Amino acid sequence: MKMLINVPETVVADALRGMAACHPELIVDVENRVIVRRDAPVEGKVGLVSGGGSGHEPLHGGFVGSGMLDAACPGEVFTSPVPDQMVRAAAAVDSGNGVLFIIKNYTGDVLNFDMAAELAEDEGIQVAKVLVNDDVAVTDSLYTAGRRGTGATLFVEKIAGAAAAEGAPLERVESIARRVNEFSRSFGVALSPCSTPSKGGPTFELPAGELELGVGIHGEPGRERRAMMTSREIADYAVQVVVEDLRPENPVLLLVNGMGATPQLELYGFAAEVHRVLGERQVAVARTLVGNYVTSLDMAGASITLCQVDEDLLRLWDAPVRTAGLRWGA
Amino acid sequence: MSSSEPAVDDTLDTPFFLRWLTAAATSVSREATRLTDLDSAIGDADHGTNMQRGFAAVAEALEKEPPGSPGATLILAGRQLISKVGGASGPLYGTLLRRAGKALGDAEQITPQQLADALRAGVDAVAQLGGAAPGDKTMLDALLPAVEALGGATGSFAAAGEAAEKGALATVPMLARKGRASYLGERSVGHQDPGATSSALLIAALAEAAR
């Protein structure tokens, strides 16, 4: 397994040094692993903090900037960050108007953010939390750690970020974030496993002629394995499970997300098929975003996320954003 | 009970606790690859790396700021794990040791029975934090039998070590219901739980410190 790294132990720190060098609009604390927008805390604004294991870039560090996150805490590869990082981030972005923690539903992220929220409140920072759990591949959530947080994280961070940028109070930013999560569903497929630097190879086996339907962003298994399907067949399958769970009545935002090793040529071809099926099902697509946004290292494959939006959410989605990984109108 | 280990009315002092955690750091480091391989099968292949990083920080902190009591030793170790490990293991192992340390208070010497009670309090806190029950294929499946063996009438550190090891092995046929392995469902059966395995290492280190 060849990787463009020095040694596995410094992969995260090396990436953070790169972010620091390439994005002077960010303050990157390599030692303490916190990425903060340089103009934080923004007067009168609720602070948005997210974080999680590294290996999903541009999530979350790539989404720090005006109109989205105020800070991100990258953990080790696929390992949640620790409370110290989150408390540090909260303190750096709190302007006295409180901080919202955006947490993907994984046991480690939840436990660490819960501890951090308590510690931050001890320091006099008002903290609200929103849990992202959009992955419909997890069907028996009673007997598992529950639905995982995947592509909807981008929608939550963008839309809640826009609300915060407008000066909405913590309570409203939190309720908008919850609404976005509630109206979002995702489903992913893996064509190849991902490889972590510390393991030095694939973290699970996926035979050459098969794909994993419903894969998680750490390579967690989904609903089933099948013989390799065409883009058309995958779109039929994925859209069906998402639409049947979400049952959208309004137009949707669509994210056609690459898992890290699937080129744009394939993603756009897949996006065409997804649009076709959505059209057949009378689901109107208000906006589409195509690219690698919530990745799983070098996994090949894609996920789709739908977020049902009203005029208010669509307006917030369209609002200007300026980050390393997502940028428009600003 | 082996005659060379502390009897029920013996006392355990701070150096005993330092020996325990140092032994744990050594064994976690030695077994890191095995832990990661176990985690690779049903999790996300980072348990060994994470535990090794956490216990290395514990060993370093204990050397840098030597604690004055058994309780303080466990609290310091727990704090290091929370702030260095991440994932679910950091908060869970950190809570185990911090809660046990708090239960010991600032006594300079404690009895094995008091340690058993303190560990029981720690294990209860872990169960509450993680929301897991015995049989869910988690670290509890090694820790619970261990504290029961240690706190029992004929309890001993060696018996606790054996019970933890047996508990870890017993996770092989279980269906995971917590953490990332839970998404595997039936496919988690047949693999030993990495968390139960590292818990057995921690208890084995306790038995080693007592010898």
Side-chain angles (χ1 to χ4, degrees):
Chain A
M1 173 60 55
K2 287 191 284 188
M3 288 183 182
L4 184 56
I5 63 172
N6 293 317
V7 289
E9 291 73 22
T10 64
V11 163
V12 176
D14 291 345
L16 290 178
R17 286 194 295 112
M19 285 208 81
C22 304
H23 299 285
E25 70 278 14
L26 301 174
I27 297 173
V28 182
D29 183 341
V30 179
E31 170 89 0
N32 294 301
R33 307 216 166 165
V34 184
I35 301 165
V36 185
R37 55 188 283 187
R38 191 165 285 281
D39 55 352
V42 180
E43 186 66 34
K45 194 181 98 60
V46 166
L48 262 64
V49 174
S50 193
S54 293
H56 307 304
E57 291 71 20
L59 187 78
H60 297 271
F63 298 149
V64 175
S66 68
M68 218 161 161
L69 296 176
D70 293 272
C73 313
E76 292 291 328
V77 172
F78 288 0
T79 300
S80 87
V82 299
D84 302 18
Q85 288 168 273
M86 301 157 182
V87 173
R88 216 175 265 273
V93 306
D94 181 32
S95 63
N97 293 272
V99 171
L100 179 69
F101 283 168
I102 298 170
I103 309 161
K104 299 195 300 307
N105 187 33
Y106 298 98
T107 311
D109 294 82
V110 172
L111 294 181
N112 284 283
F113 269 109
D114 280 352
M115 289 193 163
E118 276 184 35
L119 295 169
E121 276 165 3
D122 288 350
E123 291 187 15
I125 302 169
Q126 195 189 351
V127 176
K129 296 179 286 187
V130 61
L131 199 63
V132 183
N133 57 350
D134 55 311
D135 189 352
V136 299
V138 179
T139 48
D140 52 351
S141 45
L142 269 183
Y143 302 105
T144 63
R147 281 188 173 183
R148 303 171 291 224
T150 60
T153 317
L154 180 145
F155 289 143
V156 172
E157 291 177 357
K158 169 65 186 78
I159 292 173
E166 282 184 355
L170 182 58
E171 200 175 280
R172 178 166 149 75
V173 177
E174 179 191 356
S175 78
I176 285 174
R178 277 186 207 289
R179 191 143 58 102
V180 173
N181 178 57
E182 206 176 303
F183 288 155
S184 297
R185 300 286 189 281
S186 294
F187 190 85
V189 298
L191 311 183
S192 79
C194 53
S195 308
T196 59
S198 64
K199 176 104 165 101
T203 61
F204 65 102
E205 302 269 322
L206 186 54
E210 294 180 18
L211 82 171
E212 177 87 35
L213 290 161
V215 75
I217 56 172
H218 311 94
E220 305 98 316
R223 292 190 170 185
E224 56 177 318
R225 261 181 201 185
R226 283 204 192 166
M228 189 53 200
M229 297 154 73
T230 63
S231 173
R232 167 174 291 258
E233 291 164 339
I234 295 170
D236 283 333
Y237 186 110
V239 171
Q240 177 185 320
V241 292
V242 171
V243 167
E244 283 183 2
D245 203 286
L246 183 62
R247 301 194 174 279
E249 289 166 358
N250 290 343
V252 295
L253 307 175
L254 165 65
L255 169 65
V256 177
N257 174 61
M259 295 296 203
T262 291
Q264 293 263 312
L265 181 74
E266 294 172 43
L267 288 180
Y268 270 103
F270 182 55
E273 299 296 344
V274 171
H275 269 262
R276 172 189 55 79
V277 198
L278 287 170
E280 287 166 8
R281 292 178 166 265
Q282 273 89 47
V283 177
V285 179
R287 305 283 184 273
T288 307
L289 186 63
V290 180
N292 291 287
Y293 291 103
V294 183
T295 59
S296 184
L297 294 166
D298 62 344
M299 187 191 286
S303 62
I304 59 167
T305 305
L306 299 187
C307 174
Q308 182 178 204
V309 288
D310 54 20
E311 278 181 19
D312 192 31
L313 294 185
L314 187 57
R315 182 182 60 79
L316 292 168
W317 174 254
D318 285 339
V321 59
R322 190 179 177 84
T323 68
L326 195 68
R327 178 177 298 213
W328 58 67
Chain B
M1 189 188 302
S2 113
S3 56
S4 59
E5 76 168 54
V8 186
D9 52 355
D10 274 1
T11 55
L12 307 170
D13 53 8
T14 307
F16 170 85
F17 283 82
L18 295 174
R19 281 207 306 282
W20 173 23
L21 295 170
T22 310
T26 307
S27 106
V28 162
S29 173
R30 191 179 56 227
E31 302 286 331
T33 306
R34 183 165 76 101
L35 293 175
T36 288
D37 286 346
L38 289 173
D39 195 29
S40 174
I42 59 170
D44 49 12
D46 61 4
H47 191 55
T49 323
N50 288 345
M51 292 296 282
Q52 187 173 18
R53 184 175 64 249
F55 273 92
V58 168
E60 194 187 314
L62 292 176
E63 201 171 326
K64 218 161 78 186
E65 29 179 329
S69 69
T73 308
L74 294 187
I75 290 172
L76 177 62
R79 212 173 59 216
Q80 286 299 317
L81 294 178
I82 290 171
S83 70
K84 291 293 181 331
V85 177
S89 315
L92 292 170
Y93 274 108
T95 296
L96 172 72
L97 296 185
R98 281 185 68 225
R99 192 58 70 89
K102 277 189 183 177
L104 291 179
D106 48 16
E108 283 182 15
Q109 297 203 313
I110 58 154
T111 65
Q113 185 59 51
Q114 283 172 319
L115 176 57
D117 294 343
L119 284 175
R120 161 64 79 169
V123 173
D124 287 348
V126 167
Q128 202 189 358
L129 184 63
D136 282 348
K137 200 179 182 98
T138 70
M139 53 196 278
L140 283 185
D141 292 311
L143 291 175
L144 272 173
V147 294
E148 269 156 30
L150 187 60
T154 56
S156 74
F157 290 105
E162 281 162 27
E165 181 60 33
K166 238 171 94 181
L169 286 171
T171 63
V172 173
M174 290 176 185
L175 187 72
R177 294 201 190 281
K178 291 286 163 188
R180 230 161 261 173
S182 66
Y183 300 116
L184 277 164
E186 293 291 341
R187 283 190 264 173
S188 66
V189 171
H191 299 283
Q192 185 167 325
D193 181 62
T197 309
S198 56
S199 285
L201 293 179
L202 188 63
I203 302 297
L206 180 62
E208 194 183 316
R211 274 203 295 271

